[in-house]
Amino acid sequence: MTPEPQPHLTAVPPIDGTPAPEPVPAAAALPLSTIASNERPADWNGVSPPRRTGGGSARFLTDVIVDLGFVDRPRVEQAVEAARARGATPEHVLLDQGALTQEALSRAVAERHGLDHLDLNVFHVDMSAANLIAPAAAKRYEAVPVQFIGERGLLIAMADPANVLAVDDIALMTGYEVRVAVASREDIAVLISRQSRLDHVAATAELDIDADDGPGEIVDLRESADDAPVIRLVNQIIAQAAEQGSSDIHFEPEDGSMRVRFRIDGVLIESMTVPRRMVSGVVSRLKIMSDLDIAERRLPQDGRVGLSLDGRHIDLRVVTLPSVHGENIVIRILDKSNVVFDFAKLGMGEDDAARFKKAFHQAYGAVLVTGPTGSGKSTSLYAAVGELNTPEKNIITIEDPVEYQLEGITQVQVNKKAGLTFANGLRAMMRADPDVIMVGEIRDAETAKIAIEAALTGHLVLSTLHTNDAPTSITRLVEMGIEPFLVASAVDCVIAQRLCRTLCSHCKERTIISSAVLLDHGFRSHVDIEAYDPKGCGRCGGSGYKGRIGLYEVMTITDEIRRLAIERAPADRIAEIAMRDGMCRLRDDGLEKVKQGRTSIAEVARVTGTG
């Protein structure tokens, strides 16, 4: 007797919206054991469609296991006999014997019902969908929502797709039309465990901002998730971003919904999609947290909030920007527990570190760190200040914003609304008897002039400047209106830096890069080099990279460079002399780290702008 068709077991269409492939006859199809190997395409998204569509639940699961090539027929027949004696199912006997894996079993279940199989280690799970049901319910049903399908559809990954009651309950709880795919019990358990951990971390988050320097009364983050699902979603997004080491969270409205992306190791990665009906609530929640005007949608706003998240102190800088689709919100995460102030760990070589330390240990003069936004300039300055921080020295900083608070140091926050700019603050600091002055950034001619004068009057000045390399900083200061002889007399050392991603130690692949390829990409090398390429695995999220390291060029200002500065020589001429005196260019430092197996040639070319 043929069983009645069950609506919830309809095969799920491909996630990317492409037309469904024609069914492949069983005799012509490759065994799934082959598909499960390393022969999958590089752009595989974790979805394995069934070879037969329309469902085939009338077939025995053991027959499907044999057809897919996971276990041979004699072994299955032995398992059937053993199952009768033990009062168990044949597939559980095969699992106990080690003849079948959970992954293979879930693929067989998916094939039997004509459903897609999801490898949750590869498939991109939309955490905003997963948050629609509580971890306890997901554990009870062995099912997790993993992606939205259109406006009203919801894809759920289940271990047992024949559990009709679970499907109906999830549909009632979420209000969505549920479609089913199959995943292994192990993958589902790992995802639920991760969801529970994030839920616990978010639920225990506490506001941690003093009334004097932060927003006023803010809604406590520990409000009940049952009463406010939007609060739970926002908390989990922040907790997940912090757990993954993100530096920024981007909330980007588009066509009614909202895309959420994390900047991890300097690269934006899409994380989830907030459904249309929750977008306004998410925006309002973020504004309330950071003490912004929830009624103002036409003008940009910025605020901040501090959190104690799972025992770690985290500062959030929130910026809103009106766009044609709605308000775009960017959150900068400043996690003090992840800050490294050790030059060796930052990636600075011994020679460069020695030249840098010699410069900032002088009694007076200017030390400049240059590079684009997000290149780690402030971290290098904090590392220098931390080494100089002794009871004998009075160290004052002026920053916008104060990213990390250091004990024993006076730190001033720029407040343009109150009239406290870099220039005004720097003038006041000069009257406060400082030994060391750190200026967050030289943005204009006035600030540059005061900083140079301070360096010439017995103070050590540390600051940042936006130029592409170290030699250009000399010409940049002259272009800002500083007299060349003042620049030549005040500046003692300039550092240019970039941050590039480091290769994942678990999956990087050895390769040989020819000298022709290196020369084409702007690297000075006439021999082939041994290096490594990114591959991608579960530990690095498939990117092939995990963590970042600095690339540096340290230029010590010699008498000849001072002469060139006074003569207003071009930056290229200054660079030639600096290289002759031992300066290593950014790309050369990157090439050295490629040879060490710490990063790839493509990553160095990306951050240095070569090739």
Side-chain angles (χ1 to χ4, degrees), residues 427-439:
R427 284 196 193 94
M429 289 162 58
M430 292 289 290
R431 299 189 293 268
D433 187 32
D435 296 300
V436 180
I437 298 173
M438 185 182 115
V439 184

PDB file of all heavy atoms in Angstrom, residues 427-439:
ATOM      1  N   ARG A 427      47.037  72.658  22.373  1.00  0.00           N
ATOM      2  CA  ARG A 427      47.537  73.892  22.989  1.00  0.00           C
ATOM      3  C   ARG A 427      47.456  73.808  24.513  1.00  0.00           C
ATOM      4  O   ARG A 427      48.384  74.201  25.223  1.00  0.00           O
ATOM      5  CB  ARG A 427      46.713  75.086  22.501  1.00  0.00           C
ATOM      6  CG  ARG A 427      47.026  75.529  21.096  1.00  0.00           C
ATOM      7  CD  ARG A 427      46.466  76.917  20.837  1.00  0.00           C
ATOM      8  NE  ARG A 427      46.477  77.236  19.417  1.00  0.00           N
ATOM      9  CZ  ARG A 427      45.460  77.040  18.594  1.00  0.00           C
ATOM     10  NH1 ARG A 427      44.337  76.529  19.052  1.00  0.00           N
ATOM     11  NH2 ARG A 427      45.564  77.361  17.315  1.00  0.00           N
ATOM     12  N   ALA A 428      46.310  73.302  25.004  1.00  0.00           N
ATOM     13  CA  ALA A 428      46.139  73.190  26.453  1.00  0.00           C
ATOM     14  C   ALA A 428      47.123  72.181  27.046  1.00  0.00           C
ATOM     15  O   ALA A 428      47.671  72.398  28.135  1.00  0.00           O
ATOM     16  CB  ALA A 428      44.702  72.775  26.770  1.00  0.00           C
ATOM     17  N   MET A 429      47.368  71.088  26.332  1.00  0.00           N
ATOM     18  CA  MET A 429      48.290  70.066  26.817  1.00  0.00           C
ATOM     19  C   MET A 429      49.709  70.612  26.945  1.00  0.00           C
ATOM     20  O   MET A 429      50.458  70.201  27.840  1.00  0.00           O
ATOM     21  CB  MET A 429      48.273  68.856  25.862  1.00  0.00           C
ATOM     22  CG  MET A 429      46.982  68.046  25.921  1.00  0.00           C
ATOM     23  SD  MET A 429      46.746  66.983  24.483  1.00  0.00           S
ATOM     24  CE  MET A 429      48.207  65.981  24.547  1.00  0.00           C
ATOM     25  N   MET A 430      50.072  71.550  26.078  1.00  0.00           N
ATOM     26  CA  MET A 430      51.417  72.127  26.132  1.00  0.00           C
ATOM     27  C   MET A 430      51.661  72.871  27.438  1.00  0.00           C
ATOM     28  O   MET A 430      52.798  73.035  27.878  1.00  0.00           O
ATOM     29  CB  MET A 430      51.614  73.069  24.951  1.00  0.00           C
ATOM     30  CG  MET A 430      51.658  72.382  23.599  1.00  0.00           C
ATOM     31  SD  MET A 430      53.167  71.453  23.377  1.00  0.00           S
ATOM     32  CE  MET A 430      54.336  72.802  23.236  1.00  0.00           C
ATOM     33  N   ARG A 431      50.589  73.346  28.063  1.00  0.00           N
ATOM     34  CA  ARG A 431      50.712  74.082  29.334  1.00  0.00           C
ATOM     35  C   ARG A 431      50.586  73.169  30.550  1.00  0.00           C
ATOM     36  O   ARG A 431      50.592  73.655  31.676  1.00  0.00           O
ATOM     37  CB  ARG A 431      49.646  75.182  29.392  1.00  0.00           C
ATOM     38  CG  ARG A 431      49.760  76.210  28.273  1.00  0.00           C
ATOM     39  CD  ARG A 431      48.824  77.391  28.500  1.00  0.00           C
ATOM     40  NE  ARG A 431      47.424  77.006  28.401  1.00  0.00           N
ATOM     41  CZ  ARG A 431      46.704  77.062  27.277  1.00  0.00           C
ATOM     42  NH1 ARG A 431      47.285  77.444  26.144  1.00  0.00           N
ATOM     43  NH2 ARG A 431      45.431  76.712  27.262  1.00  0.00           N
ATOM     44  N   ALA A 432      50.438  71.849  30.299  1.00  0.00           N
ATOM     45  CA  ALA A 432      50.228  70.903  31.401  1.00  0.00           C
ATOM     46  C   ALA A 432      51.495  70.120  31.728  1.00  0.00           C
ATOM     47  O   ALA A 432      51.415  69.045  32.328  1.00  0.00           O
ATOM     48  CB  ALA A 432      49.089  69.941  31.056  1.00  0.00           C
ATOM     49  N   ASP A 433      52.662  70.646  31.338  1.00  0.00           N
ATOM     50  CA  ASP A 433      53.955  70.053  31.658  1.00  0.00           C
ATOM     51  C   ASP A 433      54.051  68.582  31.248  1.00  0.00           C
ATOM     52  O   ASP A 433      54.355  67.708  32.051  1.00  0.00           O
ATOM     53  CB  ASP A 433      54.228  70.182  33.167  1.00  0.00           C
ATOM     54  CG  ASP A 433      55.650  69.741  33.526  1.00  0.00           C
ATOM     55  OD1 ASP A 433      56.552  69.921  32.684  1.00  0.00           O
ATOM     56  OD2 ASP A 433      55.829  69.206  34.635  1.00  0.00           O
ATOM     57  N   PRO A 434      53.815  68.271  29.949  1.00  0.00           N
ATOM     58  CA  PRO A 434      53.920  66.868  29.516  1.00  0.00           C
ATOM     59  C   PRO A 434      55.348  66.507  29.134  1.00  0.00           C
ATOM     60  O   PRO A 434      56.145  67.365  28.728  1.00  0.00           O
ATOM     61  CB  PRO A 434      53.014  66.829  28.289  1.00  0.00           C
ATOM     62  CG  PRO A 434      53.158  68.192  27.698  1.00  0.00           C
ATOM     63  CD  PRO A 434      53.361  69.149  28.858  1.00  0.00           C
ATOM     64  N   ASP A 435      55.678  65.228  29.294  1.00  0.00           N
ATOM     65  CA  ASP A 435      56.929  64.696  28.760  1.00  0.00           C
ATOM     66  C   ASP A 435      56.680  64.045  27.400  1.00  0.00           C
ATOM     67  O   ASP A 435      57.507  64.141  26.491  1.00  0.00           O
ATOM     68  CB  ASP A 435      57.537  63.664  29.720  1.00  0.00           C
ATOM     69  CG  ASP A 435      57.930  64.287  31.050  1.00  0.00           C
ATOM     70  OD1 ASP A 435      58.769  65.198  31.026  1.00  0.00           O
ATOM     71  OD2 ASP A 435      57.388  63.870  32.082  1.00  0.00           O
ATOM     72  N   VAL A 436      55.564  63.346  27.308  1.00  0.00           N
ATOM     73  CA  VAL A 436      55.191  62.649  26.075  1.00  0.00           C
ATOM     74  C   VAL A 436      53.786  63.074  25.689  1.00  0.00           C
ATOM     75  O   VAL A 436      52.880  63.091  26.532  1.00  0.00           O
ATOM     76  CB  VAL A 436      55.256  61.111  26.240  1.00  0.00           C
ATOM     77  CG1 VAL A 436      54.859  60.417  24.943  1.00  0.00           C
ATOM     78  CG2 VAL A 436      56.649  60.680  26.672  1.00  0.00           C
ATOM     79  N   ILE A 437      53.610  63.433  24.414  1.00  0.00           N
ATOM     80  CA  ILE A 437      52.292  63.817  23.889  1.00  0.00           C
ATOM     81  C   ILE A 437      51.932  62.861  22.765  1.00  0.00           C
ATOM     82  O   ILE A 437      52.725  62.636  21.844  1.00  0.00           O
ATOM     83  CB  ILE A 437      52.302  65.264  23.355  1.00  0.00           C
ATOM     84  CG1 ILE A 437      52.620  66.254  24.469  1.00  0.00           C
ATOM     85  CG2 ILE A 437      50.982  65.601  22.691  1.00  0.00           C
ATOM     86  CD1 ILE A 437      52.821  67.679  23.967  1.00  0.00           C
ATOM     87  N   MET A 438      50.744  62.300  22.855  1.00  0.00           N
ATOM     88  CA  MET A 438      50.246  61.462  21.761  1.00  0.00           C
ATOM     89  C   MET A 438      49.034  62.130  21.145  1.00  0.00           C
ATOM     90  O   MET A 438      48.047  62.395  21.834  1.00  0.00           O
ATOM     91  CB  MET A 438      49.872  60.061  22.249  1.00  0.00           C
ATOM     92  CG  MET A 438      49.470  59.124  21.120  1.00  0.00           C
ATOM     93  SD  MET A 438      48.963  57.486  21.708  1.00  0.00           S
ATOM     94  CE  MET A 438      47.240  57.470  21.229  1.00  0.00           C
ATOM     95  N   VAL A 439      49.112  62.419  19.855  1.00  0.00           N
ATOM     96  CA  VAL A 439      48.006  63.036  19.115  1.00  0.00           C
ATOM     97  C   VAL A 439      47.386  61.961  18.242  1.00  0.00           C
ATOM     98  O   VAL A 439      48.073  61.359  17.393  1.00  0.00           O
ATOM     99  CB  VAL A 439      48.499  64.215  18.251  1.00  0.00           C
ATOM    100  CG1 VAL A 439      47.325  64.890  17.564  1.00  0.00           C
ATOM    101  CG2 VAL A 439      49.275  65.204  19.103  1.00  0.00           C
TER     102      VAL A 439
END
